[in-house]
């Protein structure tokens, strides 16, 4: 049972504070367990982080299953569901913000691609998938961990989509299209 406590608290700490501020001392105090218990279960911090990443992939799969079942419309259903998964969303935000770490980048891309597949945004059709990635990266860059309400997240998506639509309808876009 001790290992599960470490993982649950570690997952939340990673999500809220990021990998740089992941503190085994703080987690041990929070769960009332010794550092020796941590080393008994994980041996080292890198193994602990690998298990947190595996745990996040499981959370991503759970989110995808819930999304397929409950998201009949992208707006607002997806954002209502994301608000219910605020800790996994913050974990994914940490992965996004720390994409310079290869394992974090790989998991971010893997989970983001899996969501696109579940939404039937076929990655073999580059235009749709590329737009999904572009909008998603812009959306993640706007997220404020202190306000992950469904309405705020949906507002970010709507603003980004409006910007893309304005660009697509601009003379600049048309002139770039002629060059390409």
């Amino acid at each position: 049972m001790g290992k599960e406590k470490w993982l649950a608290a570690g997952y939340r700490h990673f999500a809220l504070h990021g990998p740089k501020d992941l503190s085994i001392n703080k987690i041990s105090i929070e769960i009332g367990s010794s550092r020796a218990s941590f080393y008994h279960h994980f041996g080292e911090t890198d193994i602990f982080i690998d298990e947190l990443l595996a745990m996040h992939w499981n959370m991503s799969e759970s989110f995808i299953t819930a999304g397929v079942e409950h998201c009949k419309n992208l707006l607002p259903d997806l954002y209502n569901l994301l608000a219910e998964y605020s800790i996994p969303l913050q974990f994914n935000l940490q992965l996004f913000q720390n994409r310079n770490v290869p394992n974090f980048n790989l998991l971010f891309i893997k989970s983001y691609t899996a969501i696109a597949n579940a939404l039937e945004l076929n990655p073999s059709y580059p235009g749709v998938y590329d737009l999904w990635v572009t909008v998603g990266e812009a959306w993640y860059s706007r997220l404020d961990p202190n306000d992950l309400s469904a309405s705020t997240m949906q507002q970010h998506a709507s603003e980004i989509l409006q910007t893309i639509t304005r660009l697509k309808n601009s003379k600049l876009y048309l002139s770039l299209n002629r060059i390409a």
Side-chain angles (χ1 to χ4, degrees):
M1 172 102 170
K3 184 175 184 176
E4 289 77 21
K5 279 183 164 181
W6 278 104
L7 289 170
Y11 187 83
R12 195 170 49 66
H13 275 254
F14 187 107
L16 298 176
H17 308 292
K20 292 179 182 115
D21 293 327
L22 188 65
S23 169
I24 304 309
N25 284 334
K26 287 180 184 175
I27 297 170
S28 76
I29 291 167
E30 180 183 312
I31 65 172
S33 191
S34 68
R35 287 178 53 89
S37 167
F38 171 84
Y39 290 105
H40 168 75
H41 291 297
F42 305 102
E44 59 184 74
T45 306
D46 288 344
I47 293 171
F48 182 58
I49 290 174
D50 286 345
E51 291 204 31
L52 294 177
L53 295 176
M55 187 175 176
H56 184 65
W57 175 246
N58 290 335
M59 278 294 186
S60 295
E61 288 181 317
S62 172
F63 173 80
I64 290 166
T65 300
V68 167
E69 184 177 328
H70 300 291
C71 291
K72 304 305 176 206
N73 298 301
L74 192 59
L75 302 173
D77 297 348
L78 177 62
Y79 299 98
N80 290 332
L81 185 62
L82 282 166
E84 293 176 27
Y85 280 76
S86 65
I87 294 296
L89 176 58
Q90 289 181 69
F91 195 103
N92 223 41
L93 178 58
Q94 292 293 346
L95 295 177
F96 175 78
Q97 293 173 339
N98 292 278
R99 289 178 76 179
N100 60 308
V101 178
N103 286 347
F104 298 169
N105 187 45
L106 181 65
L107 183 55
F108 177 80
I109 291 169
K110 180 181 177 182
S111 62
Y112 205 69
T113 301
I115 291 168
N117 287 336
L119 293 172
E120 298 178 1
L121 300 174
N122 189 346
S124 65
Y125 184 71
V128 174
Y129 182 71
D130 291 346
L131 181 60
W132 170 255
V133 170
T134 300
V135 169
E137 288 180 347
W139 183 80
Y140 268 99
S141 70
R142 292 181 181 202
L143 286 183
D144 174 2
N146 297 314
D147 182 7
L148 294 176
S149 66
S151 61
T152 298
M153 291 187 288
Q154 184 175 332
Q155 179 182 349
H156 292 321
S158 294
E159 290 169 357
I160 293 164
L161 291 172
Q162 288 171 4
T163 300
I164 290 170
T165 300
R166 282 194 305 273
L167 174 64
K168 184 182 173 292
N169 294 329
S170 72
K171 289 180 183 180
L172 173 63
Y173 179 79
L174 294 173
S175 67
L176 291 174
N177 225 5
R178 280 186 224 124
I179 295 170

